[in-house]
Every structure is written in structure tokens, then in C-alpha cells.
């Protein structure tokens, strides 16, 4: 077999192995993050599965498109150099996809938390606060002076 064919086989083996390993690690460890983002375990499981499928499709599609080497590969050292470039690009694509997903999900999570905070005011309305220093009276006091008291003098 030609050196180029061996390079292609090594490239496919390394790239597919890396893609499977990264996808499994992200699916296993990212589930906790997704449960926090969506606040629903079933939805987090479903999104996790969809992200894994999309991850495989994008990465394996990139691996197959980037496999072709147009120039001649005559020596083993040239094959290793080309192989390292190709695997390096695969790793960069894997990292970029990972950071994009984390960024997008983080923005979604912040928006959801902001909506939840806006739905619940931080303090109860003033009219409903109990009076300070004692129990709440059973009946509200009348607005004017109590019987037997003289009204306060008007200001001059």
C-alpha cells in the first residue's frame, strides 16, 4: 500500500476515535449542566441525545471532507506532518463546537433565570407587610382619632 493510504487510515482511526471519546465524555459530564440549564431532567436527556447526534454528524462530516490530501505524500515524515495537521484541525473543530454549545446553553440558562427572577418580586408589596414589633391586629384601626381622644391640632 501507498504511504498516502496508510496516512488516510491512521487519520480516520485517530479522528473517529477522538470524536467518539469526546462525544461520550461530553454527554456523560454535560448532562448535569443541561439539567441545570433546562430545570427538567427529561428535557435535559432529550437535548443531550440530540447534541450527541449533531456532534457526531458535524465532526464525522468534517473528518471525511478534510481527509483528501491534494499534494503528493512521498515519505513517512511527510505523511506524519500531514496527519498531524489534519488531526489538529479535527481537534480545533471539536473544541470550537464544544465552546459554542456551552456559550449558547449558558445564555439560555441566564435568560431563564432572569425570567424567573422577574416573575417573583424580591420583596412583598408594602401593603401586605406585618407591622414591626408585634402581632398583626385582628381588625385594622380606624383612620381618625379613637373615641375619647382629641384630634391633633392643625399645623400653623
Amino acid at each position: 500500500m501507498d504511504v498516502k493510504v496508510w496516512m488516510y487510515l491512521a487519520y480516520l482511526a485517530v479522528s473517529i476515535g477522538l470524536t467518539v471519546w469526546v462525544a461520550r465524555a461530553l454527554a456523560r459530564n454535560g448532562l448535569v449542566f443541561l439539567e441545570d440549564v433546562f430545570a427538567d431532567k427529561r428535557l435535559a436527556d432529550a437535548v443531550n441525545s440530540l447534541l450527541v447526534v449533531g456532534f457526531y454528524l458535524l465532526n464525522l462530516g468534517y473528518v471525511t471532507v478534510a481527509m483528501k490530501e491534494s499534494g503528493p505524500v512521498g515519505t513517512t515524515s511527510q505523511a506524519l506532518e500531514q496527519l498531524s495537521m489534519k488531526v489538529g484541525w479535527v481537534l480545533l473543530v471539536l473544541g470550537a463546537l464544544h465552546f459554542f454549545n456551552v456559550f449558547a446553553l449558558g445564555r439560555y440558562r441566564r435568560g431563564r433565570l432572569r425570567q424567573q427572577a422577574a416573575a417573583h418580586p424580591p420583596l412583598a408589596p408594602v401593603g401586605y407587610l406585618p407591622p414591626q414589633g408585634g402581632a398583626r391586629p385582628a381588625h385594622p384601626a380606624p383612620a381618625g382619632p379613637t373615641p375619647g381622644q382629641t384630634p391633633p391640632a392643625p399645623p400653623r
Side-chain angles (χ1 to χ4, degrees), residues 43-95:
L43 181 61
D45 286 336
V47 169
N48 197 26
S49 296
L50 292 173
L51 284 173
V52 168
V53 169
F55 186 80
Y56 279 128
L57 290 173
L58 283 171
N59 285 305
L60 295 177
Y62 176 77
V63 164
T64 56
V65 167
M67 186 172 83
K68 183 175 175 17
E69 178 58 44
S70 58
V73 179
T75 65
T76 307
S77 63
Q78 288 175 336
L80 287 174
E81 289 170 2
Q82 291 302 318
L83 179 64
S84 70
M85 283 293 290
K86 290 181 178 302
V87 171
W89 278 110
V90 168
L91 291 173
L92 289 173
V93 168
L94 286 171

Side-chain angles (χ1 to χ4, degrees), residues 14-155:
V14 170
S15 298
I16 291 171
L18 282 171
T19 300
V20 169
W21 175 70
V22 170
R24 286 184 178 175
L26 291 176
R28 182 178 57 251
N29 298 317
L31 187 57
V32 174
F33 178 70
L34 289 174
E35 286 174 358
D36 184 49
V37 167
F38 294 110
D40 180 3
K41 184 165 175 33
R42 281 186 55 220
L43 181 61
D45 286 336
V47 169
N48 197 26
S49 296
L50 292 173
L51 284 173
V52 168
V53 169
F55 186 80
Y56 279 128
L57 290 173
L58 283 171
N59 285 305
L60 295 177
Y62 176 77
V63 164
T64 56
V65 167
M67 186 172 83
K68 183 175 175 17
E69 178 58 44
S70 58
V73 179
T75 65
T76 307
S77 63
Q78 288 175 336
L80 287 174
E81 289 170 2
Q82 291 302 318
L83 179 64
S84 70
M85 283 293 290
K86 290 181 178 302
V87 171
W89 278 110
V90 168
L91 291 173
L92 289 173
V93 168
L94 286 171
L97 284 172
H98 170 67
F99 282 114
F100 173 74
N101 284 338
V102 170
F103 175 76
L105 290 169
R107 285 187 59 126
Y108 176 81
R109 178 180 176 267
R110 280 190 299 275
R112 183 180 58 79
L113 292 176
R114 200 174 301 124
Q115 282 180 341
Q116 285 178 349
H120 304 292
L123 295 174
V126 175
Y128 297 105
L129 290 176
Q132 297 290 329
R136 193 174 200 178
H139 300 288
T146 58
Q149 285 185 338
T150 58

